[in-house]
Amino acid sequence: MCIRDSPSTESAAAAVDLLGRVLGADAHAKLYSLAQPKNLPEVRHAALNALARDAEKSPLAAAEVTKVLTFLKDRDYTNVVSPALQLLERSELSNSHSRALLRALEGNDPALRRFAVTALGQIDTPTAAKALVSVLHGDNPDLRERAARSLASQRAATKMLLLELCDAHDADSAWQLAHIVAPHAPDLQPDQVRRLSNAAIELLEPGDARAEALVSVLQDHHVDALAAASLKRVRVLKKDREAGAILNLIRPITREDAELPTELRYEHALAELMRGKKAVVREVRLHNPGLRALETLLQEPGFDLLARLRKD
């Protein structure tokens, strides 16, 4: 007797479940057949559950994942779509599955959209990245958070996200983008580092709140490029004795563990001294951080501090 002809839907579903447990991976072809629309809803549900249970031990092949993705278009959410989602969440997806995932993302079903946003993190292509960036700008907080996690795993998204970061409208947006880009910071190309450094300098000088987010991406792996861009601008501002703007440029990239170029450390000390001249109280002037910085520069090999001070 065929399972779909069973007089009891409960016994039919039980039979499918038993088939999956007894035959394991060898039953995949039969289980896929039983999950088709021609069978009872309970039978389809049991077949997909059996496949999901087996996927915990042995992941589905790419061709099998493609078959399961077709079930997401089914009208029976409870018996078909829901167990198919559970099965896919335990499976590895690839570029060949991107079209089905993008279709799910464009739909109206919340569960399908959540799954698609998470799954697209495995599809490292510009098309997937573009779709996720669009979600990142949406109005659904849960989907935005999922999109951020997915984008953080994609190399293909880096170029697009850097452009977004440089043009961020506010500090919160800049920090969100910076956190996504940060895992890829070691692999940034020279032109990308240069663009981000220049954008950071433009924001640092006027004390823009977005600047710190850009600096955070560069600070651990590209501080030399950031320091070079900063020093170039500092030398222009120095002619106009703009101590405040100079300190805005340098202070955010100055950390105790940062190995900054000697020239930048000197310009930092000089700007602190210039700023400190305005202090009315003598004690404040004596505790100027610029003085402590100059003390360390006295010990710097090959750096003639006295000659530089006479010159400046």
Side-chain angles (χ1 to χ4, degrees):
M1 180 178 64
C2 294
I3 290 177
R4 61 177 175 274
D5 296 328
S6 172
S8 167
T9 57
E10 291 185 2
S11 61
V16 173
D17 182 71
L18 179 62
L19 175 66
R21 292 178 185 276
V22 172
L23 298 181
D26 294 334
H28 279 196
K30 183 61 177 176
L31 290 172
Y32 282 121
S33 176
L34 292 170
Q36 298 304 315
K38 63 184 179 181
N39 294 298
L40 295 169
E42 293 80 5
V43 170
R44 303 180 70 194
H45 186 272
L48 288 167
N49 276 341
L51 285 166
R53 186 171 54 247
D54 188 66
E56 292 180 347
K57 299 175 292 184
S58 177
L60 298 182
E64 292 179 305
V65 173
T66 300
K67 290 181 182 178
V68 178
L69 282 167
T70 63
F71 292 122
L72 298 184
K73 296 182 289 185
D74 201 278
R75 294 182 178 181
D76 188 344
Y77 186 87
T78 301
N79 291 301
V80 181
V81 177
S82 180
L85 282 175
Q86 294 179 32
L87 175 53
L88 290 167
E89 286 169 354
R90 300 169 185 173
S91 306
E92 184 175 339
L93 293 102
S94 65
N95 294 358
S96 63
H97 306 125
S98 61
R99 182 174 297 180
L101 293 175
L102 291 171
R103 189 163 48 243
L105 180 60
E106 293 168 0
N108 297 318
D109 187 285
L112 286 181
R113 297 196 74 207
R114 287 195 296 270
F115 163 73
V117 170
T118 300
L120 282 169
Q122 300 180 47
I123 314 299
D124 197 1
T125 65
T127 301
K130 184 178 180 180
L132 289 171
V133 168
S134 179
V135 174
L136 196 65
H137 293 314
D139 56 5
N140 186 311
D142 179 45
L143 290 182
R144 288 204 307 267
E145 185 176 341
R146 289 171 181 266
R149 289 197 296 267
S150 291
L151 285 166
S153 66
Q154 289 189 334
R155 288 178 180 270
T158 303
K159 182 178 180 179
M160 192 182 310
L161 291 170
L162 283 175
L163 294 175
E164 295 268 337
L165 177 56
C166 291
D167 296 330
H169 295 299
D170 54 58
D172 288 341
S173 299
W175 273 113
Q176 181 188 45
L177 292 163
H179 289 313
I180 298 172
V181 172
H184 306 296
D187 303 317
L188 294 182
Q189 298 300 309
D191 62 317
Q192 295 174 327
V193 172
R194 185 164 51 253
R195 178 184 176 87
L196 191 57
S197 296
N198 291 336
I201 295 306
E202 287 182 12
L203 296 174
L204 282 170
E205 186 177 332
D208 193 301
R210 295 171 293 175
E212 193 174 349
L214 278 67
V215 170
S216 72
V217 175
L218 296 163
Q219 203 154 31
D220 287 333
H221 303 282
H222 306 288
V223 69
D224 288 346
L226 182 60
S230 178
L231 186 59
K232 182 179 179 180
R233 182 58 184 159
V234 163
R235 286 170 173 161
V236 174
L237 294 170
K238 185 178 175 182
K239 296 176 182 178
D240 299 324
R241 305 188 70 79
E242 294 285 346
I246 291 173
L247 292 176
N248 283 346
L249 286 176
I250 301 177
R251 279 176 176 169
I253 64 176
T254 303
R255 302 186 313 191
E256 291 183 2
D257 61 338
E259 296 183 4
L260 297 176
T262 302
E263 284 294 328
L264 191 62
R265 289 162 50 208
Y266 170 73
E267 296 296 352
H268 181 199
L270 209 60
E272 293 283 8
L273 289 174
M274 290 168 59
R275 189 76 172 267
K277 284 182 179 180
K278 298 180 181 179
V280 177
V281 183
R282 182 173 180 273
E283 288 297 319
V284 174
R285 294 201 301 269
L286 290 176
H287 289 85
N288 188 296
L291 292 175
R292 294 194 297 273
L294 289 179
E295 288 179 7
T296 63
L297 288 171
L298 279 171
Q299 313 300 321
E300 191 76 22
F303 186 76
D304 193 339
L305 177 60
L306 295 178
R308 289 301 303 275
L309 286 173
R310 290 193 193 99
K311 181 180 177 181
D312 291 319

